[in-house]
Amino acid sequence: MTSAMEEAGSLQPRYLTMALSLNAGEQTHSLATAQETRHRLIKMFETADAASKRILAMVQPPPQKQQQQARGKKGKDAGPPADDQPVASAREIHLHKQIRLFASQFLQEHMVSLPGLPDADKLKQLQAERSRAAEEKARRDREAAERAMDMREMQKIASELQVMTTGDNSQGSSSAASPRESVSPSGGWQPNVTAMVSGADPDGDPLLLQRDLLRGYIEQARKDKRFDELDALEGSLRDIEMEISRSRRQ
C-alpha cells in the first residue's frame, strides 16, 4: 500500500502538468502520454485502496462468523468454534482502522480531485482557440509597435518641416526662435511644432496625423503671411492626401 501511494505521489505532479497544458490548448505534451499516465495513477490508487481494505478486514471477521459468534454466545456452555481466529486486541483494531482512514484521506485528496483530459476533438478545438488568441495578441503587439514607430516618424517629419520652413537668418543668429513662437525677428518663421505634436493621438492613423499636422502648419503660415513656406507645405499636404486616398482604395 505504501509503495503504491508513494509512486502515485511522485507521478501525480507530472500528470497535473500535462493535464493543465492540454486543457489550455498547448501542444507541449501528447494526449496519449497523458492518458497512459492517468491510467497508471488510477491503478496505483486502486491498489492502495484495496490494500487498506484488506488490512482493515484482518481485524474484522466476516459477517457469517459474526453471526455464528452471536449465536454461540446465547448458549450457556457453548464455546468458540475450533476454527475461530484469535480475537484482535483493541489496540490492533484501532491501528488497522487508522491505516484505512489514512488511505481513504489520501484517495480523497489525490484521486477525487484529479483533473480530467480532453478527448481528441476537444483538444483540437482548444488548440485552435489558443492559436487564434496567440495570433490576435501578436497582431495587437505588432500594431502597437507600428503606431509607436509611426509616431516617432511623425515627430521626425515635423522636425524636418520645421527646419525646411525656418529662414536662413535662424542659422546665423545666436538668438534662434523657440518652437513655440510663430514669428521671430532674428530667427525667421517657425510653426508651433511642440503644441501640434504633443496634442496628437498616438493611436491614430499616421497618415491622418501627418495630414492634420500639415494643415496646422498651413493655417499658421497663412496667419503669419509666410507665403513662400505656404507653397511647400501645401505641396506636402497634397502628397499626403493622395497617399491617404490610395490606402483607402486598397
Side-chain angles (χ1 to χ4, degrees):
M1 183 189 78
T2 305
S3 61
M5 293 169 68
E6 289 177 351
E7 190 175 355
S10 64
L11 186 61
Q12 188 172 10
R14 193 192 318 167
Y15 170 75
L16 291 176
T17 299
M18 290 188 287
L20 292 174
S21 174
L22 291 168
N23 281 302
E26 297 179 353
Q27 302 184 31
T28 309
H29 301 280
S30 165
L31 178 60
T33 303
Q35 290 172 337
E36 180 183 354
T37 305
R38 180 182 175 84
H39 180 71
R40 288 176 57 194
L41 266 175
I42 296 298
K43 283 293 183 183
M44 293 170 194
F45 291 143
E46 291 174 349
T47 299
D49 185 45
S52 67
K53 288 178 178 178
R54 287 195 300 270
I55 291 172
L56 180 61
M58 291 171 62
V59 295
Q60 290 183 340
Q64 184 178 1
K65 284 193 174 184
Q66 291 179 358
Q67 293 174 3
Q68 290 176 354
Q69 291 174 359
R71 286 195 301 269
K73 289 179 181 179
K74 293 179 181 179
K76 295 181 180 179
D77 300 329
D83 60 346
D84 271 0
Q85 297 178 353
V87 178
S89 66
R91 183 175 180 277
E92 288 176 323
I93 293 174
H94 177 73
L95 176 61
H96 286 233
K97 285 183 177 180
Q98 287 298 111
I99 292 173
R100 173 57 186 165
L101 178 61
F102 172 73
S104 298
Q105 291 174 342
F106 177 84
L107 296 173
Q108 180 72 22
E109 181 180 352
H110 293 83
M111 185 176 72
V112 176
S113 61
L114 203 65
L117 294 171
D119 57 27
D121 292 336
K122 180 64 175 179
L123 179 60
K124 288 181 181 179
Q125 178 185 344
L126 292 171
Q127 289 174 344
E129 291 174 356
R130 184 178 181 86
S131 178
R132 286 195 295 270
E135 291 174 358
E136 178 64 19
K137 182 179 183 303
R139 184 188 64 80
R140 291 196 301 268
D141 291 345
R142 186 169 57 251
E143 290 179 351
E146 289 174 354
R147 284 196 299 270
M149 185 179 297
D150 290 337
M151 191 62 183
R152 289 193 296 268
E153 184 65 21
M154 189 186 73
Q155 291 173 340
K156 180 181 177 182
I157 291 173
S159 179
E160 291 173 351
L161 287 172
Q162 177 182 346
V163 172
M164 180 184 70
T165 55
T166 300
D168 294 337
N169 291 335
S170 65
Q171 299 178 1
S173 174
S174 59
S175 57
S178 167
R180 296 184 179 274
E181 295 176 315
S182 297
V183 180
S184 173
S186 61
W189 181 81
Q190 297 183 50
N192 192 345
V193 177
T194 304
M196 293 178 185
V197 174
S198 61
D201 181 7
D203 294 330
D205 188 314
L207 290 176
L208 297 179
L209 292 173
Q210 293 178 32
R211 182 196 64 185
D212 294 342
L213 186 65
L214 285 168
R215 285 176 175 174
Y217 288 169
I218 290 171
E219 181 179 353
Q220 191 171 349
R222 285 199 182 107
K223 181 180 178 181
D224 296 340
K225 301 184 185 306
R226 306 299 300 189
F227 300 112
D228 292 339
E229 292 86 351
L230 183 61
D231 291 338
L233 291 170
E234 288 178 339
S236 298
L237 178 61
R238 285 192 294 272
D239 293 339
I240 290 293
E241 289 177 337
M242 290 175 61
E243 183 63 27
I244 293 173
S245 298
R246 280 196 297 269
S247 65
R248 287 176 175 174
R249 288 196 298 267
Q250 293 178 352

